[in-house]
Amino acid sequence: MKAVILAGGMGTRLSEETTARPKPMVEIGGMPILWHIMKIYSAHGLNDFVICLGYRGYMIKEYFANYYLHTCDVTFDVAKGAMEVHQSSAEPWRVTLVDTGDDTQTGGRLKRVLSYLGDEDFCLTYGDGLADVDIPRLLDFHRTEGTLGTVTAVQPGGRFGALDVEGSRVAGFREKPAGDGSWINGGFFVLSPRIGDYIDGDETVFEQEPLRRLAAEGQLSAYEHGGFWQPMDTIREKDQLEELWQSGRAPWKVWS
């Protein structure tokens, strides 16, 4: 099964980092968040990726063009122009990089890469969100439901801490309590290639008409994920992810 990653947006809300590089290349623990997402899938045996490029996509191409070399111990014979590779820690990834346009919407990006996906169902997620989703369980759920699409539904916590108030006195504090209980789109989709029938073209926003039509037709299932999920939309959220990684307690690190 292939995994598609949407990596073409401009990331304007993270402009402190994205004026010089695409958002999926913003680093957590010295590695792009895109790498972390790929490691999540790879830990569950999915190693064939199709990445939808847009804003500064050439930087992602250059990253993977040099990835193998960066994971190797090498000897360069400068006089002969030769290179000897001693060992490599590169993952067994196959990565297809597709320029889907700077201004193309999410649905349009997906439609542009469908020709690379074949006839089997595939995974899809955003290039800026991390989670400890149990991918095999998600896939089993999707197959059992038999719908054209499955979205991972998450319940984000509240942004701020809360006070426990009894009468006029503060009885305690709660750090980032649960939100309002609503389920939202957490990415980590599983989709049939027939999703292309629901996408008109480059201007189609995947999260709007395509998903609404699937839902109206009873063809969209919700896999409820109660574990860790965190997007990286702001510098504050980037710093939170970095802090988790540096602590050695990053919940999305499901690989050894």
Side-chain angles (χ1 to χ4, degrees):
M1 178 176 282
K2 295 183 180 182
V4 178
I5 302 175
L6 296 168
M10 296 186 66
T12 53
R13 286 187 290 176
L14 194 62
S15 59
E16 300 93 334
E17 295 278 351
T18 56
T19 54
R21 55 183 165 177
K23 190 177 181 183
M25 293 302 292
V26 174
E27 294 180 355
I28 303 296
M31 299 298 284
I33 191 170
L34 177 61
W35 176 89
H36 290 266
I37 296 167
M38 294 170 72
K39 291 288 282 188
I40 293 169
Y41 280 110
S42 185
H44 298 293
L46 279 71
N47 293 301
D48 196 344
F49 298 94
V50 177
I51 301 178
C52 304
L53 306 180
Y55 172 69
R56 294 185 181 269
Y58 67 89
M59 298 182 72
I60 298 178
K61 287 183 179 179
E62 291 172 354
Y63 177 77
F64 286 105
N66 295 299
Y67 190 82
Y68 178 74
L69 177 61
H70 291 169
T71 65
C72 292
D73 293 337
V74 297
T75 297
F76 290 102
D77 188 321
V78 178
K80 295 181 179 179
M83 180 181 74
E84 179 184 357
V85 176
H86 302 292
Q87 63 179 17
S88 172
S89 59
E91 294 83 356
W93 293 344
R94 185 175 188 269
V95 185
T96 301
L97 304 167
V98 184
D99 184 357
T100 57
D102 284 0
D103 301 318
T104 308
Q105 298 295 326
T106 49
R109 294 191 191 282
L110 175 55
K111 186 150 190 171
R112 286 201 187 194
V113 304
L114 286 176
S115 61
Y116 296 93
L117 302 179
D119 299 326
E120 296 183 354
D121 288 0
F122 60 92
C123 293
L124 169 74
T125 198
Y126 303 105
D128 62 355
L130 298 172
D132 59 352
V133 175
D134 187 330
I135 301 297
R137 187 175 176 186
L138 166 63
L139 296 177
D140 287 342
F141 175 85
H142 173 75
R143 293 175 183 129
T144 300
E145 290 293 306
T147 53
L148 295 181
T150 295
V151 58
T152 294
V154 298
Q155 290 181 305
R159 180 177 177 184
F160 302 104
L163 302 177
D164 286 325
V165 178
E166 296 179 0
S168 61
R169 303 294 175 91
V170 175
F173 295 85
R174 286 177 292 147
E175 184 176 356
K176 296 180 183 177
D180 62 5
S182 298
W183 293 95
I184 69 167
N185 169 13
F188 293 91
F189 296 89
V190 188
L191 301 169
S192 162
R194 290 168 55 193
I195 191 66
D197 297 337
Y198 293 75
I199 302 172
D200 292 331
D202 285 356
E203 300 303 316
T204 302
V205 178
F206 179 64
E207 298 78 9
Q208 296 180 6
E209 187 62 21
L211 290 188
R212 289 171 182 165
R213 281 184 57 196
L214 285 174
E217 296 173 10
Q219 287 293 331
L220 184 64
S221 301
Y223 174 77
E224 296 181 356
H225 173 62
F228 175 83
W229 174 82
Q230 179 63 59
M232 187 185 67
D233 286 329
T234 64
I235 196 69
R236 175 177 172 273
E237 290 170 340
K238 175 197 177 295
D239 290 344
Q240 288 175 341
L241 291 172
E242 182 69 34
E243 183 179 346
L244 282 171
W245 183 264
Q246 296 301 335
S247 73
R249 295 180 288 104
W252 69 89
K253 188 180 181 298
V254 294
W255 61 92
S256 56

